[in-house]
Amino acid sequence: MSNIVCFGEVLWDMFPTHKKIGGAPLNVALRLNSFGHNVKMISAIGNDENGKALIQHIHETGLDTVTYIQRLIDYKTGDVKVTLNNKGSATYDIMYPRAWDKIELNEMSKDIVSKSNAFVFGSLITRDEVSKSTLYSLIDNASYNIFDLNLRAPYYTKAILTHLMEKADFIKFNDDELYEVASFLNSKYDSLEDNLEYISEQTNTDHICVTRGEHGAVLLYNNALYYNNGYQIKVKDTVGAGDSFLGALISQLLSNVEPQKAINFACGVGALVAQSEGANPKLSLSEINTFINP
C-alpha cells in the first residue's frame, strides 16, 4: 500500500438527465482508494448543497473528506456541463470560478505531500492563480510527481505545461495531447514513439504514458516501451476512463508490478469504465482480471 496525494478539482459532472461525481484528480483518487492505497485528496468545495452532497458521496467510498478538502464561503462547488456525442465521447463546459480554483496553501497539505510516495495533479487546476500557486509550492515538497495533462482550452499555456513537465517524474498524455506538446517543443518527428522519446529527453522525464482511446496505450518506462492494443467494448461514455486508467497504472507501478502487466491492467480498467455510465463505476479485482484474461 502506498501513500498518495491527489490535488485539484472536485466537482459534479452534469449530464442532461442526471449528475455524477467527477473531476480528474478525484476520479484518480477514488480509483486508487478502491485498490487499497492510502489516498488523500486536497481540494475545495463551496458552502452549498452540491458541496454537501459531494462530501457525502466521497465519504461513502471511504476516502478521507474532512481534513484536506477546504470549505469556502465565497465560491460555489465545482460543476461541469457534459455533452455526449453518439459514440459516447464527451465535451465539457467547465464553470468558472469555482471553489477548487481557490485552494489555499497550508502546512498540513505540505506535510502530507512531503510524506507521500506520489503526488498526482493535472493542468486544469492552473487556470486560476490561487490554486496554481498552491500547486507550485506543493510540487517542490513531493518526492514523486505525477502530471496528468488535461488540455481544456483556454485553460493552459505552453509555459505552464513546460514548467509542470519539467517538474514531473511521470507524465500522462492522450495521443492528441502528445502531438500538441511535441509541436510546441519543436519536435521534427512524426511517429508517436519518436515524439514520446523526444518529450522524455526535452523534459528529463523517464516515465511517460500515452493513451490511444480504443487502441490502448504506450508506456515509456526506464528506457523501454510497453504496448497494449486495447480491448473490444461497446462504449457507453468516455467520462473518467482515462482517470481510472491512470489510477490503475499508478497502483500497479507503485506496487512494483512489471510494466507490461501494469499497462495491460490499466487498459482493462479504462475499458471497463468506458463501457459503464459515469466516471467511477465500482470494479472488483476479480472482474478486472477476468476481463483482461478471459
Side-chain angles (χ1 to χ4, degrees):
M1 181 179 73
S2 297
N3 296 315
I4 304 167
V5 178
C6 297
F7 176 88
E9 59 271 21
V10 298
L11 49 83
W12 288 101
D13 287 321
M14 312 297 286
F15 295 85
T17 60
H18 62 284
K19 66 181 181 181
K20 291 278 188 178
I21 195 170
L26 178 57
N27 295 336
V28 174
L30 291 172
R31 189 59 61 196
L32 284 164
N33 184 65
S34 76
F35 293 135
H37 297 282
N38 178 25
V39 185
K40 305 297 183 186
M41 182 75 221
I42 301 175
S43 190
I45 59 168
N47 185 28
D48 51 28
E49 290 303 315
N50 271 345
K52 293 175 184 177
L54 192 148
I55 287 295
Q56 177 61 32
H57 191 98
I58 299 173
H59 178 72
E60 291 170 359
T61 70
L63 194 65
D64 179 10
T65 59
V66 176
T67 312
Y68 304 103
I69 298 182
Q70 300 166 16
R71 276 71 163 178
L72 304 183
I73 296 173
D74 296 331
Y75 297 94
K76 294 180 180 179
T77 298
D79 54 335
V80 174
K81 182 180 178 182
V82 182
T83 304
L84 301 175
N85 66 16
N86 58 7
K87 295 183 179 180
S89 294
T91 55
Y92 306 92
D93 185 5
I94 308 168
M95 303 298 108
Y96 176 86
R98 289 298 185 260
W100 57 265
D101 290 303
K102 306 295 181 179
I103 306 169
E104 298 171 355
L105 182 66
N106 56 47
E107 291 301 317
M108 200 165 46
S109 295
K110 289 195 289 187
D111 183 59
I112 60 160
V113 170
S114 68
K115 294 176 180 176
S116 67
N117 301 109
F119 178 53
V120 184
F121 56 90
S123 52
L124 183 58
I125 196 65
T126 64
R127 72 177 184 169
D128 187 279
E129 193 62 36
V130 175
S131 288
K132 185 182 90 170
S133 177
T134 299
L135 172 63
Y136 280 22
S137 294
L138 293 176
I139 285 173
D140 289 332
N141 284 267
S143 61
Y144 190 79
N145 285 310
I146 298 174
F147 178 30
D148 179 16
L149 273 79
N150 192 5
L151 302 189
R152 307 289 184 211
Y155 299 127
Y156 63 94
T157 68
K158 295 176 183 179
I160 289 173
L161 295 179
T162 300
H163 175 76
L164 293 177
M165 287 190 293
E166 289 174 348
K167 290 285 187 178
D169 302 287
F170 187 109
I171 304 171
K172 173 191 164 279
F173 303 92
N174 64 35
D175 45 3
D176 289 335
E177 292 165 342
L178 172 83
Y179 284 109
E180 181 173 343
V181 169
S183 176
F184 77 64
L185 291 177
N186 301 312
S187 170
K188 306 300 183 185
Y189 299 107
D190 295 320
S191 77
L192 184 149
E193 288 85 355
D194 284 342
N195 279 304
L196 197 162
E197 292 177 354
Y198 177 80
I199 292 171
S200 173
E201 293 170 0
Q202 294 296 306
T203 63
N204 194 31
T205 309
D206 294 330
H207 302 158
I208 300 180
C209 187
V210 183
T211 58
R212 302 184 298 162
E214 64 181 319
H215 302 297
V218 182
L219 174 65
L220 175 67
Y221 204 77
N222 296 340
N223 299 313
L225 287 171
Y226 302 89
Y227 293 83
N228 179 282
N229 292 323
Y231 298 94
Q232 294 297 312
I233 60 164
K234 183 177 181 179
V235 174
K236 190 155 192 178
D237 74 59
T238 59
V239 178
D243 305 328
S244 276
F245 167 90
L246 179 58
L249 184 61
I250 294 168
S251 176
Q252 294 280 290
L253 294 174
L254 291 181
S255 299
N256 296 316
V257 173
E258 70 98 4
Q260 186 61 59
K261 290 182 179 179
I263 196 171
N264 292 344
F265 183 86
C267 284
V269 170
L272 286 168
V273 172
Q275 71 175 17
S276 304
E277 183 179 79
N280 296 291
K282 291 184 179 180
L283 302 174
S284 67
L285 283 175
S286 61
E287 180 183 3
I288 297 165
N289 288 327
T290 298
F291 180 75
I292 63 177
N293 298 297

